[in-house]
Amino acid sequence: MIESKQSAGLSMDGMLIVAMSLAIPIIAMTSLLDGRLPGTHDAWLHLMRLTNAALNLKEGVLIPRWGPHLHFGFGYPLGNFYTPGWHIAGGALVAAGVPAVSVLLVFQALGLLLYPLGGYLFARLFTDRVSALLGAAICLLAPLRFYEVFIQGNVSQLIGMGLIVWVLWAFARCALAPRRGTIVVASLLLAALILTHHPTSAFAVPLAGGYSVFAAVLAYDQRRRRLAAVLIAYGLGLLLAAAYWLPAVTELHHVHVQAAADQYQLQDNFVRLRDLIGLVQAPDRGALNVVFTFSAGLGSLVLGALGGVVALSPRVKLTRWQRGHVLAGLLLAAICLYAMTYRSLWLWEAVPQSKLILFPWRLLSVLTVALIPGAVLLMMVIPTRWRAWVVAGLIGVLFAAVLPLMFPLYANESDLGTVTPASSIEYEVQSGNLGGVSNNEYLPKWAEQRPDFAPCPDCYRDWAWQVFVNDRTLPDNAQVTAVEGEHRTGSGFEVSSTDAFRLELHQMYFPGWKATVDGQAARLIISEPYGLMAVDLPAGAHTVEVWYAGTRVQQMGNSLSLIALGGCVGLLVFPLRRRRMIGRVPRSDVKVASAALIGSVLVAVVLRGVIVPHTDWFREAGDTPAGMEQALGTVFADADGTPQLKLIGYTISDTQMSQDDWLFVTLYWQALTPLDQQWHVRLALADSFTQAEWSASDHDAPGGFSTLQWPTDRYIIDQHILRLDDDTPPYVGDLVVRVYAVDGDPLLVDTAPRLSLEQVRIDEKGTDDLPAGAQRVDLVFGDWLRCRAYDLVRAGDGYQLRLYWEVLRDPPADFALMLHWMRQGEDVGNADQPPLASYPTHLWREGQYLVSMFDLVPPEKTDALWWGLYDYPTVQRAAVDRRDGKLVVQDNAILLPLE
């Protein structure tokens, strides 16, 4: 049996350098060596948040709750709600003169290093040093990592998810060795996680709480002492982060966060199970929008599952600590897999707070860590002399599996020059992403409309924390001169006017703003509709000062964090004792670490110098969309016949669905000409006869891009998800596509406003329940259909007829329903039609329960309805077997009296 590493002490371990070296090739593929901002989705947003923190730090404000330059210079409470952790640390460097882009790239690289180092340390809790390297590789080489680095570019999320494994490691150490130092380390790491990325902390902090108790209980003895230690660390960590989470939670009602959150449709962000457990797929570089397929990593899943088999084997001797972590990890991995699929929607809806996570695929960060114990303990079955080679081979396999993802997909930004707060406003003008966010979720609630006018980049080129006057509202006889104020987070003005007037500021109101007029506190007025601050001034000359002072809740949060920080210092300092924590690195470790560093550098050179510039190995690119299953080439034209769009083809997950099921459809579009109209794409599953939609997906920006931005030399991947409700009938419906403008005519396909792709069967049995008022009967047509009941009731000037069917076996052909009106035994008219207009009988399936419903208006003085079934081509009536004797059957048809 291999003893697990359960000591809480630290020692210099050369294998940490080996683990760190695994990240070198990935870091080399980033733009760190170029020094340019990557062209990822969120890179600019984080650059804005970084400069906001630097601007506040230059004025002595540690927590950048308010950014005066953001949102076109109207101000924005960004740091009060979006976790500012690494932005503060990086902002200190920017404030000291380090270029902002370089700081962002360095923190991205540091974020990557968190994974192999944390994965290694966590794995060392269970296994030997060599096997623990596999844990480092699993943590680093998860496919999600490359989405973050090369596509999304959310540095906060990258660092936050990297801290998860560190937090679990720290709480495990705290449980195994409940000492002051381990308590402080665990609390500091938990606080760092909370302060780095709040969506990640929404699920990682509860996980850390549960794991801390689990680890304390799983330890061998003194469980009360261990439990007390982890609970103290947990509480201390929460208090350390109170400066952020207390105002963020209690002041959230001051912003329009719910309106912005409603823009995210949870069902659009679930992942199919086959994608989660499948092989990594290379992004399609021929598309305008790169679609990433979220995978858990098949290799990691297999290793973790095999580790579970080992843990359950009585032949392999494991400690309770080891076995408990393997089995709990596999259970947690299974829960994460389920929670990321659409089947778990009920769970997300049952826990409203879970929607803070926004994207279920974020749980991949937990799943990866959960697989580490099983994967590394699997190495116990490998003989010691072969273990290093097996681990090295498995790391190579994991590395090869993610090679299709290990390349930048977007060109780096051109040289930005010196980045200042003015750069944020210039980006806002260009992109429309105001306030350092993409959905304007933190717009103060007093702003009924977004103020998106009069941007002034030049106002913030000098890194000054300033507030300006809204010149558009100044009367002609007013003069305003900016002066030095007493408060660094605001501005002062000398104002003179011959008339009283209202001085409106170019800054939105938010709790915490203060104002004085001639040294006396003044009431801030909130103007409509933009929620701007204003003060009323009498005629004459006055001195006005406005500044952001913060709220009591913010100050309370700061105080709690300071108290907790003092507690951490006290735990470490009193009583002051010296302890040797770090020893020498063994000489053998130096050799292994040196070889690993050299090998990683060589791999990085090959990747960056050979593969990237000269070949397209491992990367999809071409004129035909990768993964497209059905080619079409259908052209959509405007009312004048001018071609606008081409539907290249589509991919559909299935053509058979059930109620409460999900259908995944991907459309592939290409603009045939530069488009001057914003087109919407609507995909619907509709009743073939009535065209009533059973489910629909409507995209105002197909593929995430307005059609006004579509080039003609790239195609667009437009993913739709349709969910069927519980009341969707068990029919066959048409999957139809419609392209339309909000104000204008739709695009046409051969003069038709919609295109039918194919039919989709709703594979349901239906219900065998019968309403209380229905007349029970037992009529068997041929040997394939039973009429179980009917209902014939008055409805206005006519009748409503309902027939309740049970399909005994698949019908042999298409049948029509004979509906003839009778008067004193004479046929006086008919209303023949299909039993279900949108569902021909040849599509009916054995075991289904169906309902036909007709609104019928008979001729005058009609006294009976004569009905039956007949074959369309032959007009041959289906034989009727009347098994209950309740009705009159005449010539294989049933006679129903109307009275």
Side-chain angles (χ1 to χ4, degrees), residues 28 40 79 106 163 216 236 249 311 325 350 360-361 495 517-518 524 603 706 825 843 848 854 866 883:
T40 52
V106 167
L163 285 170
L236 200 58
V249 172
H325 274 83
W361 48 257
V495 184
V517 176
D518 299 329
L524 279 172
V603 171
S706 165
L843 296 175
Q848 287 186 322
F854 311 97
W866 193 33
R883 297 186 177 182

Side-chain angles (χ1 to χ4, degrees), residues 66-77 254-256 428 434-435 440 442-453 460 465 467-468 504-513 524-527 529-534 547-548:
W66 187 266
H69 63 298
L70 297 174
H71 207 293
F72 281 5
F74 288 100
Y76 208 67
H254 291 322
V255 295
H256 290 284
E428 289 179 330
L434 306 185
N440 206 35
Y442 306 133
L443 181 71
K445 68 178 183 181
W446 296 271
E448 298 175 3
Q449 296 182 29
R450 296 175 64 180
D452 55 0
F453 51 85
Y460 289 97
W465 213 106
V467 177
F468 297 91
E504 187 176 85
L505 302 169
H506 193 85
Q507 198 83 179
M508 286 186 281
Y509 173 77
F510 191 80
W513 279 100
L524 279 172
I525 299 166
I526 307 173
S527 65
Y530 302 113
L532 304 181
M533 294 184 294
W547 72 98
Y548 189 73

Side-chain angles (χ1 to χ4, degrees), residues 8 173-180 182-183 222 225-226 229-230:
R173 292 179 63 240
C174 188
L176 291 171
R179 295 195 292 262
R180 298 183 183 190
T182 58
I183 291 174
Q222 299 180 337
R225 178 169 172 258
R226 299 176 194 277
V230 296

Side-chain angles (χ1 to χ4, degrees), residues 17 318 384 424 544 658 769:
I17 300 176
L318 296 176
T384 304
S424 298
V544 180
S658 301
D769 294 336

Side-chain angles (χ1 to χ4, degrees), residues 548-860:
Y548 189 73
T551 64
R552 290 184 179 180
V553 173
Q554 293 169 7
Q555 294 161 4
M556 184 184 300
N558 295 344
S559 299
L560 290 175
S561 294
L562 286 174
I563 292 172
L565 186 60
C568 289
V569 173
L571 285 173
L572 290 176
V573 174
F574 301 104
L576 183 63
R577 66 173 67 170
R578 294 183 179 181
R579 177 178 298 167
R580 181 181 176 129
M581 298 294 292
I582 300 177
R584 291 185 176 183
V585 180
R587 183 173 298 178
S588 59
D589 281 12
V590 173
K591 294 180 179 179
V592 173
S594 300
L597 287 173
I598 293 172
S600 296
V601 171
L602 291 176
V603 171
V605 169
V606 171
L607 290 176
R608 191 173 179 91
V610 178
I611 295 179
V612 173
H614 301 299
T615 75
D616 283 331
W617 296 351
F618 316 112
R619 296 180 289 180
E620 296 286 351
D623 298 329
T624 301
M628 186 180 73
E629 297 175 355
Q630 183 64 50
L632 287 180
T634 304
V635 174
F636 286 73
D638 59 21
D640 297 329
T642 303
Q644 300 290 314
L645 297 174
K646 179 169 68 174
L647 182 56
I648 304 173
Y650 66 93
T651 298
I652 185 170
S653 60
D654 204 346
T655 55
Q656 287 189 270
M657 300 179 66
S658 301
Q659 292 173 352
D660 199 28
D661 204 352
W662 302 66
L663 184 68
F664 297 82
V665 181
T666 302
L667 306 177
Y668 300 89
W669 297 96
Q670 184 177 12
L672 299 177
T673 185
L675 302 173
D676 57 3
Q677 173 70 59
Q678 174 63 48
W679 296 107
H680 296 226
V681 172
R682 185 174 183 84
L683 181 74
L685 186 58
D687 188 298
S688 304
F689 180 72
T690 65
Q691 306 303 316
E693 295 180 349
W694 298 334
S695 181
S697 171
D698 207 318
H699 289 175
D700 57 356
F705 288 88
S706 165
T707 55
L708 298 172
Q709 301 174 287
W710 287 12
T712 57
D713 59 343
R714 306 285 290 277
Y715 47 84
I716 289 80
I717 303 174
D718 183 24
Q719 295 181 314
H720 293 259
I721 301 177
L722 302 179
R723 182 190 180 191
L724 291 184
D725 294 330
D726 292 338
D727 58 353
T728 307
Y731 300 165
V732 172
D734 289 331
L735 190 65
V736 296
V737 178
R738 181 169 172 258
V739 181
Y740 69 97
V742 174
D743 300 317
D745 298 325
L747 292 183
L748 305 176
V749 179
D750 295 331
T751 71
R754 45 201 269 165
L755 171 67
S756 179
L757 298 181
E758 61 181 273
Q759 289 189 320
V760 176
R761 170 175 288 280
I762 314 304
D763 192 15
E764 282 291 331
K765 299 295 186 183
T767 178
D768 60 352
D769 294 336
L770 294 174
Q775 301 296 316
R776 268 64 169 178
V777 295
D778 191 1
L779 300 169
V780 177
F781 293 83
D783 60 350
W784 54 275
L785 185 64
R786 171 183 285 120
C787 180
R788 305 162 55 235
Y790 75 92
D791 201 359
L792 183 64
V793 297
R794 274 285 187 180
D797 295 333
Y799 293 85
Q800 186 178 81
L801 172 66
R802 296 192 184 191
L803 301 173
Y804 297 88
W805 309 101
E806 178 188 1
V807 184
L808 303 177
R809 67 177 182 86
D810 295 357
D814 269 340
F815 285 82
L817 188 65
M818 181 190 81
L819 296 170
H820 286 207
W821 301 111
M822 307 297 289
R823 183 190 304 147
Q824 297 180 356
E826 297 293 330
D827 191 333
V828 293
N830 72 78
D832 291 5
Q833 54 192 289
L836 288 169
S838 56
Y839 193 31
T841 60
H842 77 275
L843 296 175
W844 294 13
R845 291 296 178 261
E846 179 180 334
Q848 287 186 322
Y849 294 91
L850 306 172
V851 180
S852 298
M853 185 175 68
F854 311 97
D855 290 319
L856 305 173
V857 179
E860 293 183 1

Side-chain angles (χ1 to χ4, degrees), residues 22 134 137 141 389-403 406:
L22 297 176
L134 184 58
L141 299 176
W389 293 103
V390 172
V391 169
L394 289 175
I395 292 175
V397 171
L398 293 175
F399 192 91
V402 294
L403 270 178
M406 207 177 294

